[in-house]
Amino acid sequence: TTAALENLSVEVSIDASWANVNPPCSINGPHVHPFSAVSGAYYVECGDDGLDKNSSTGVTQQVPQPCAINLMDPRPAAPMAYIPAEVRDALDLGIDWTLSLWPGTVLLF
């Protein structure tokens, strides 16, 4: 109930953090975040903007492009789990996600 949550005390701490600064068109290889209940990513910028030609004016201009992040199930055998398909699909076992994020976005996972 809401009343029970009002008196709930939770301590949140950041135990580790780091920053990656990558050159354009680079990637970070697959990795895991051990002992983390929540992880996150923040993109300051996504590198070079793309070029787009305005069809009505014919003017070419730089257009911001989204950043891409791939979230992968770290368990290689997960999609082969011997459980009903409905359960496997509901839990996203073995599913990899590719997301497009704009600069300034915070993603918690």
Side-chain angles (χ1 to χ4, degrees), residues 16 18 20 28-41 69-72 74 107-109:
W18 62 92
N20 292 334
N28 293 321
H31 60 276
V32 296
H33 300 166
F35 310 112
S36 296
V38 177
S39 294
I69 186 170
N70 297 311
L71 302 177
M72 303 164 58
L107 174 66
L108 299 177
F109 51 93

Side-chain angles (χ1 to χ4, degrees), residues 26-27 43 46 65-71 97-102:
S26 64
I27 63 168
Y43 288 91
C46 299
Q65 299 294 310
C67 309
I69 186 170
N70 297 311
L71 302 177
W97 296 88
T98 299
L99 305 174
S100 294
L101 304 175
W102 292 99

Side-chain angles (χ1 to χ4, degrees), residues 71-75 77-81 83-97 99:
L71 302 177
M72 303 164 58
D73 191 327
R75 303 163 299 168
M80 297 179 281
I83 57 176
E86 297 83 14
V87 174
R88 184 180 60 245
D89 294 344
L91 296 175
D92 289 336
L93 291 177
I95 300 296
D96 296 340
W97 296 88
L99 305 174

Side-chain angles (χ1 to χ4, degrees), residues 17-68:
S17 63
W18 62 92
N20 292 334
V21 179
N22 297 328
C25 300
S26 64
I27 63 168
N28 293 321
H31 60 276
V32 296
H33 300 166
F35 310 112
S36 296
V38 177
S39 294
Y42 175 76
Y43 288 91
V44 175
E45 63 179 48
C46 299
D48 294 333
D49 292 336
L51 295 177
D52 186 35
K53 186 172 186 177
N54 186 316
S55 59
S56 61
T57 64
V59 175
T60 300
Q61 60 188 14
Q62 289 194 321
V63 178
Q65 299 294 310
C67 309

